[in-house]
Amino acid sequence: MRRFNIAVPAALTLTAVLTAVPVSAQAHERRPAPLGIDHCTATACHFDVPPGTYDVKVVLGGGADSSTSVSGETRRALLPETAVPAGERVARSFTVDVRTPEGEPTGAEGTPGLDLAFGGTAPALADIRVTPARHARQIFLVGDSTVCDQPGDPYTGWGQELPQYLRKGVSVANYADSGESTVTYLQNPQLWATVQPLIRPGDLVLIQLAHNDKTTDEVTYRANLETLVAGVREKGGRPVLVTPVVRRWFNADGTLNNGTALLVNGLGVDHPAVIRSVAATQDVPLIDLTAKTKALVESLGVEGSKALYLYNEKRDNTHTSVYGATVYAGLVRDELVAQRLVPRGTVRVG
């Protein structure tokens, strides 16, 4: 059973600080007072804030040994489980994107404001502060169901797990959507037409679309990728092409060397190969997630790789479990660091 502790003195201190700030001082600074622990219950916090980007600082720990993770909005992992010895306090910060709809762009609107939940084996929140983010960078995600903020357990996209690897100053705006191809993503006004105007100079836009391009010919597929790349650059953003995660579809020899696993569609279009080609011709950074997930799945073998996907739960060899999505998000994190696409100091490693 989980234990949860809120350090009451910290809550009282924070409340006193907020109520003690004169109105004139707040007006002079032109900054709203930070929202704090008085917006929290034993296991969750709700902050009635408008859509935007927010910095969150949590102080973890209590009178007993504790271990706390933080998730938010539509099951996004925002902070990995963090152990704190009894009587000690540890501060952690992250930046979170708040939007409507809060999960998949074509899904339910969700709850207005920012919602955070505290998990782990023994959660303990001592303090929390939420303020509008200043000068934060966004990592936009354009993708399908293997990337998106999945609303229902056990389905989990790698983009849903990526935020926990980022520190304050960089947030993930996950606009991936289930069932989308390059064709439908460009056509639907809730998708690309909504995302592109939000891109600011310097923002990263990671693009992984392939799983649903089952009837898209190569010329069209290539042109769609080039359209997305050009659209990102038009806004001053930095496009990054991502090859799709493999399907867990083994040959008798224990390899994934087949069209089903490696995303070759019925027309013979080798999606990862086309993505690599567009990245090369358009001088776009490439995260070859196909190659990385193929190597990992093959190394784990038929049995060991089941935990990455929803095979045990759903006999699903395409969509990832929470564990698999977390591992695959770690592969993306590693490439962001290795290719210097984000400052190393903004990424949680190890």
Side-chain angles (χ1 to χ4, degrees):
M1 178 174 294
R2 291 178 174 174
R3 308 189 311 276
F4 193 95
N5 302 297
I6 290 184
V8 176
L12 296 176
T13 300
L14 178 62
T15 303
V17 169
L18 294 182
T19 56
V21 177
V23 174
S24 59
Q26 294 181 33
H28 177 73
E29 293 179 4
R30 296 183 179 179
R31 297 180 63 181
L35 301 173
I37 205 166
D38 51 320
H39 293 262
C40 302
T41 65
T43 58
C45 300
H46 173 76
F47 301 96
D48 188 16
V49 296
T53 307
Y54 294 87
D55 290 331
V56 179
K57 179 181 179 181
V58 294
V59 179
L60 307 176
D65 290 346
S66 63
S67 187
T68 310
S69 62
V70 183
S71 61
E73 299 297 88
T74 303
R75 301 177 58 238
R76 294 181 219 160
L78 299 173
L79 187 71
E81 189 160 352
T82 303
V84 182
E88 295 187 15
R89 300 290 186 269
V90 169
R92 294 287 186 269
S93 297
F94 54 85
T95 302
V96 61
D97 173 60
V98 176
R99 63 182 184 274
T100 302
E102 69 178 28
E104 295 182 84
T106 63
E109 288 195 358
T111 305
L114 171 60
D115 288 283
L116 302 175
F118 301 90
T121 55
L125 174 68
D127 199 358
I128 187 168
R129 293 169 65 90
V130 176
T131 56
R134 295 172 176 267
H135 313 299
R137 293 290 189 186
Q138 295 268 53
I139 298 179
F140 288 92
L141 303 182
V142 170
D144 53 36
S145 59
T146 65
V147 184
C148 74
D149 286 352
Q150 290 279 1
D153 182 71
Y155 290 91
T156 311
W158 63 254
Q160 205 161 11
E161 297 297 311
L162 184 62
Q164 67 184 303
Y165 292 122
L166 302 172
R167 301 179 189 273
K168 176 183 173 183
V170 181
S171 69
V172 174
N174 191 349
Y175 283 85
D177 197 70
S178 294
E180 306 300 341
S181 65
T182 57
V183 176
T184 60
Y185 203 94
L186 285 167
Q187 290 176 342
N188 191 328
Q190 294 176 280
L191 299 173
W192 184 238
T194 297
V195 176
Q196 191 194 18
L198 301 175
I199 301 170
R200 298 171 301 178
D203 286 340
L204 285 181
V205 183
L206 275 56
I207 302 166
Q208 186 215 281
L209 288 166
H211 279 273
N212 300 301
D213 280 278
K214 298 173 183 177
T215 60
T216 309
D217 63 81
E218 183 170 340
V219 172
T220 302
Y221 185 65
R222 180 182 296 271
N224 288 344
L225 291 175
E226 291 173 348
T227 296
L228 290 166
V229 167
V232 174
R233 285 174 167 165
E234 179 184 326
K235 305 299 290 187
R238 296 183 292 159
V240 179
L241 290 175
V242 183
T243 60
V245 299
V246 294
R247 296 190 181 99
R248 185 189 161 277
W249 198 263
F250 282 92
N251 294 333
D253 64 359
T255 70
L256 301 180
N257 296 324
N258 61 78
T260 300
L262 300 180
L263 283 296
V264 179
N265 74 9
L267 301 178
V269 179
D270 185 332
H271 292 102
V274 176
I275 296 169
R276 295 177 189 119
S277 174
V278 172
T281 58
Q282 298 291 316
D283 193 25
V284 176
L286 174 74
I287 295 178
D288 198 339
L289 205 51
T290 304
K292 291 186 173 298
T293 55
K294 178 179 186 291
L296 177 59
V297 170
E298 288 180 340
S299 71
L300 292 173
V302 174
E303 290 302 317
S305 62
K306 287 179 179 178
L308 294 171
Y309 292 82
L310 294 176
Y311 179 84
N312 293 323
E313 300 88 345
K314 304 287 185 178
R315 293 297 186 268
D316 187 331
N317 292 305
T318 297
H319 297 95
T320 48
S321 62
V322 173
Y323 170 69
T326 303
V327 171
Y328 287 178
L331 297 177
V332 174
R333 179 271 315 270
D334 293 345
E335 282 299 295
L336 292 175
V337 173
Q339 299 189 42
R340 298 182 180 179
L341 295 171
V342 295
R344 186 176 181 85
T346 63
V347 178
R348 301 182 198 280
V349 296

